[in-house]
Amino acid sequence: MDKVLLTAAGLYVIVLLRAGGTFAVGRLAAAGARRSRFAEKFAQSKFQRVERAIQRWGAPVVAVSFLTVGFQTAANFLAGSMRMPLTRYVPALFVGGACWALLYATAGIGALEMLGRLFAEHTALGAGAVAALVLAVCALVLFRRRRRHADGTAAAEDETADKS
């Protein structure tokens, strides 16, 4: 259990730095945009209503975003760019980051221990499992590339047909 707590503590520090850094980058990007030619967009009442809603209700969204894959970076960046007050952001960061760290520490340690036992007891089976995983990832990448290429070809053909 000690290694789970140590792993969770390390992951917690990492997530606090990464998510807090993403928040800071979002805040800096918004400050720059507010001084640019896009400044009039930030002054519109619709934008200001969204900004107030995120400032008020965004903390639960930030906290829950740590339990998702791919959404947490966007949530932290948007919280920064929409100038969520630190008094709301920091508690959400601490709670969400703790949940994330504990989840990944327990699931990660368990998965690594399982793989270690699999390799120790059944080396051929373990190697086969890793090979199957690598093949599945390669197949997924190939499938997505081909689909993207087919979509691009179809769009180009549609565009050519529209011009004639």
Side-chain angles (χ1 to χ4, degrees), residues 45-58:
S45 63
K46 182 179 179 182
F47 185 86
Q48 289 175 345
R49 277 196 312 270
V50 170
E51 189 173 42
R52 280 192 302 273
I54 287 176
Q55 288 173 350
R56 183 170 183 191
W57 301 107

Side-chain angles (χ1 to χ4, degrees), residues 12-31:
Y12 189 57
V13 169
I14 290 168
V15 78
L16 291 179
L17 293 173
R18 186 180 70 82
T22 304
F23 176 85
V25 168
R27 188 158 272 203
L28 291 171

Side-chain angles (χ1 to χ4, degrees), residues 41-77:
K41 298 286 185 194
F42 290 97
Q44 293 177 353
S45 63
K46 182 179 179 182
F47 185 86
Q48 289 175 345
R49 277 196 312 270
V50 170
E51 189 173 42
R52 280 192 302 273
I54 287 176
Q55 288 173 350
R56 183 170 183 191
W57 301 107
V61 172
V62 169
V64 171
S65 75
F66 285 94
L67 302 178
T68 66
V69 175
F71 179 67
Q72 64 179 284
T73 301
N76 284 285
F77 182 84

